[in-house]
Amino acid sequence: MVVTLAAVTALLVAATATPPAGYTTPEDVNSDFIKQVGKFAVTVYKLAKGVSLYYVSTSQCWSMPAGGGANDYWMVLTATNGAGAAGSYVATVWGIPGSESKTWKLLSFNATS
């Protein structure tokens, strides 16, 4: 197994990230639902920016009510680029659980370093 410095850095950054005020509900990062939200965030960013990026995992996810049955999800993600280098990203996604993906919105997506 080869572990790159980028992968180790991504893991360390992810472990120390703190959600913004208001995000009070921790979500199960191993649930299929949260994995799907993470994949949505990476895919929308990838398509909008025309970059090669692939979802790997979600290390943290917190939510807060956004009104009208919707939630905002703040998440720390790991994704790899086309060369396979891992990076850590923080994304915020708005959506109504159980609704179609076309109604969901990627509010922010930023590299952590």
Side-chain angles (χ1 to χ4, degrees):
M1 180 169 127
V2 175
V3 179
T4 65
L5 180 57
V8 171
T9 302
L11 291 173
L12 291 174
V13 170
T16 60
T18 303
Y23 288 87
T24 57
T25 306
E27 299 289 341
D28 178 4
V29 297
N30 296 311
S31 75
D32 289 339
F33 174 71
I34 294 303
K35 289 177 185 176
Q36 202 59 30
V37 175
K39 289 175 185 176
F40 169 84
V42 172
T43 300
V44 169
Y45 181 80
K46 171 183 174 176
L47 293 172
K49 298 295 182 179
V51 297
S52 180
L53 203 60
Y54 304 94
Y55 174 84
V56 175
S57 64
T58 302
S59 60
Q60 288 188 56
C61 183
W62 294 75
S63 66
M64 72 175 179
N71 289 323
D72 284 339
Y73 297 91
W74 178 89
M75 49 188 19
V76 178
L77 309 165
T78 299
T80 56
N81 64 19
S88 182
Y89 301 87
V90 174
T92 306
V93 177
W94 176 96
I96 300 172
S99 66
E100 296 180 17
S101 63
K102 66 182 178 181
T103 63
W104 285 65
K105 297 175 184 148
L106 178 63
L107 303 177
S108 67
F109 193 95
N110 297 293
T112 59
S113 53

